[in-house]
mmCIF file of all heavy atoms in Angstrom:
data_model
loop_
_atom_site.group_PDB
_atom_site.id
_atom_site.type_symbol
_atom_site.label_atom_id
_atom_site.label_comp_id
_atom_site.label_asym_id
_atom_site.label_seq_id
_atom_site.Cartn_x
_atom_site.Cartn_y
_atom_site.Cartn_z
ATOM 1 N N SER A 103 -1.877 6.296 -38.499
ATOM 2 C CA SER A 103 -2.532 7.598 -38.595
ATOM 3 C C SER A 103 -1.672 8.743 -38.072
ATOM 4 O O SER A 103 -2.061 9.907 -38.189
ATOM 5 C CB SER A 103 -3.866 7.581 -37.821
ATOM 6 O OG SER A 103 -4.783 6.686 -38.427
ATOM 7 N N PHE A 104 -0.509 8.422 -37.517
ATOM 8 C CA PHE A 104 0.332 9.486 -36.965
ATOM 9 C C PHE A 104 0.864 10.384 -38.081
ATOM 10 O O PHE A 104 1.305 9.923 -39.126
ATOM 11 C CB PHE A 104 1.523 8.898 -36.204
ATOM 12 C CG PHE A 104 2.492 9.935 -35.709
ATOM 13 C CD1 PHE A 104 2.246 10.619 -34.533
ATOM 14 C CD2 PHE A 104 3.638 10.241 -36.439
ATOM 15 C CE1 PHE A 104 3.134 11.590 -34.068
ATOM 16 C CE2 PHE A 104 4.525 11.205 -35.989
ATOM 17 C CZ PHE A 104 4.277 11.886 -34.808
ATOM 18 N N GLU A 105 0.810 11.704 -37.821
ATOM 19 C CA GLU A 105 1.336 12.659 -38.791
ATOM 20 C C GLU A 105 2.429 13.545 -38.222
ATOM 21 O O GLU A 105 3.477 13.731 -38.845
ATOM 22 C CB GLU A 105 0.216 13.549 -39.341
ATOM 23 C CG GLU A 105 0.689 14.551 -40.379
ATOM 24 C CD GLU A 105 -0.454 15.307 -41.040
ATOM 25 O OE1 GLU A 105 -1.418 14.651 -41.517
ATOM 26 O OE2 GLU A 105 -0.400 16.541 -41.053
ATOM 27 N N ASP A 106 2.225 14.083 -36.998
ATOM 28 C CA ASP A 106 3.211 15.034 -36.512
ATOM 29 C C ASP A 106 3.130 15.161 -34.993
ATOM 30 O O ASP A 106 2.104 14.848 -34.374
ATOM 31 C CB ASP A 106 2.988 16.404 -37.152
ATOM 32 C CG ASP A 106 4.166 17.350 -36.966
ATOM 33 O OD1 ASP A 106 5.251 16.862 -36.614
ATOM 34 O OD2 ASP A 106 3.990 18.563 -37.173
ATOM 35 N N LYS A 107 4.249 15.622 -34.408
ATOM 36 C CA LYS A 107 4.332 15.917 -32.979
ATOM 37 C C LYS A 107 5.224 17.136 -32.795
ATOM 38 O O LYS A 107 6.233 17.291 -33.497
ATOM 39 C CB LYS A 107 4.937 14.738 -32.207
ATOM 40 C CG LYS A 107 5.186 15.040 -30.720
ATOM 41 C CD LYS A 107 5.988 13.948 -30.060
ATOM 42 C CE LYS A 107 7.459 14.051 -30.366
ATOM 43 N NZ LYS A 107 8.128 15.137 -29.590
ATOM 44 N N ALA A 108 4.858 18.014 -31.880
ATOM 45 C CA ALA A 108 5.694 19.174 -31.573
ATOM 46 C C ALA A 108 5.565 19.494 -30.090
ATOM 47 O O ALA A 108 4.465 19.475 -29.538
ATOM 48 C CB ALA A 108 5.287 20.385 -32.415
ATOM 49 N N GLU A 109 6.708 19.769 -29.471
ATOM 50 C CA GLU A 109 6.723 20.109 -28.055
ATOM 51 C C GLU A 109 7.487 21.411 -27.837
ATOM 52 O O GLU A 109 8.437 21.716 -28.574
ATOM 53 C CB GLU A 109 7.376 18.991 -27.234
ATOM 54 C CG GLU A 109 6.578 17.706 -27.208
ATOM 55 C CD GLU A 109 7.265 16.593 -26.442
ATOM 56 O OE1 GLU A 109 8.520 16.583 -26.395
ATOM 57 O OE2 GLU A 109 6.548 15.730 -25.895
ATOM 58 N N SER A 110 7.073 22.146 -26.828
ATOM 59 C CA SER A 110 7.764 23.390 -26.490
ATOM 60 C C SER A 110 7.590 23.651 -25.006
ATOM 61 O O SER A 110 6.734 23.052 -24.347
ATOM 62 C CB SER A 110 7.211 24.571 -27.301
ATOM 63 O OG SER A 110 5.836 24.772 -27.021
ATOM 64 N N PHE A 111 8.440 24.566 -24.494
ATOM 65 C CA PHE A 111 8.361 24.910 -23.075
ATOM 66 C C PHE A 111 8.533 26.408 -22.914
ATOM 67 O O PHE A 111 9.506 26.995 -23.409
ATOM 68 C CB PHE A 111 9.443 24.173 -22.275
ATOM 69 C CG PHE A 111 9.290 24.318 -20.795
ATOM 70 C CD1 PHE A 111 8.448 23.477 -20.085
ATOM 71 C CD2 PHE A 111 9.987 25.301 -20.092
ATOM 72 C CE1 PHE A 111 8.294 23.616 -18.713
ATOM 73 C CE2 PHE A 111 9.848 25.436 -18.730
ATOM 74 C CZ PHE A 111 8.993 24.598 -18.029
ATOM 75 N N ASP A 112 7.567 27.028 -22.255
ATOM 76 C CA ASP A 112 7.613 28.458 -21.979
ATOM 77 C C ASP A 112 8.240 28.649 -20.599
ATOM 78 O O ASP A 112 7.586 28.423 -19.569
ATOM 79 C CB ASP A 112 6.196 29.038 -22.015
ATOM 80 C CG ASP A 112 6.181 30.559 -21.912
ATOM 81 O OD1 ASP A 112 7.081 31.118 -21.256
ATOM 82 O OD2 ASP A 112 5.259 31.184 -22.486
ATOM 83 N N ALA A 113 9.517 29.049 -20.583
ATOM 84 C CA ALA A 113 10.241 29.188 -19.315
ATOM 85 C C ALA A 113 9.701 30.326 -18.468
ATOM 86 O O ALA A 113 9.777 30.281 -17.231
ATOM 87 C CB ALA A 113 11.728 29.396 -19.594
ATOM 88 N N ASP A 114 9.167 31.377 -19.101
ATOM 89 C CA ASP A 114 8.644 32.514 -18.345
ATOM 90 C C ASP A 114 7.377 32.136 -17.586
ATOM 91 O O ASP A 114 7.217 32.479 -16.407
ATOM 92 C CB ASP A 114 8.368 33.686 -19.283
ATOM 93 C CG ASP A 114 9.652 34.250 -19.891
ATOM 94 O OD1 ASP A 114 10.700 34.162 -19.231
ATOM 95 O OD2 ASP A 114 9.597 34.747 -21.035
ATOM 96 N N LYS A 115 6.466 31.450 -18.264
ATOM 97 C CA LYS A 115 5.201 31.057 -17.638
ATOM 98 C C LYS A 115 5.281 29.674 -16.987
ATOM 99 O O LYS A 115 4.357 29.270 -16.289
ATOM 100 C CB LYS A 115 4.081 31.071 -18.681
ATOM 101 C CG LYS A 115 3.801 32.445 -19.267
ATOM 102 C CD LYS A 115 2.658 32.376 -20.261
ATOM 103 C CE LYS A 115 2.355 33.760 -20.837
ATOM 104 N NZ LYS A 115 1.247 33.713 -21.834
#
Side-chain angles (χ1 to χ4, degrees):
S103 295
F104 175 82
E105 181 173 309
D106 194 16
K107 174 190 79 76
E109 293 178 331
S110 61
F111 189 85
D112 187 329
D114 294 330
K115 297 181 179 179

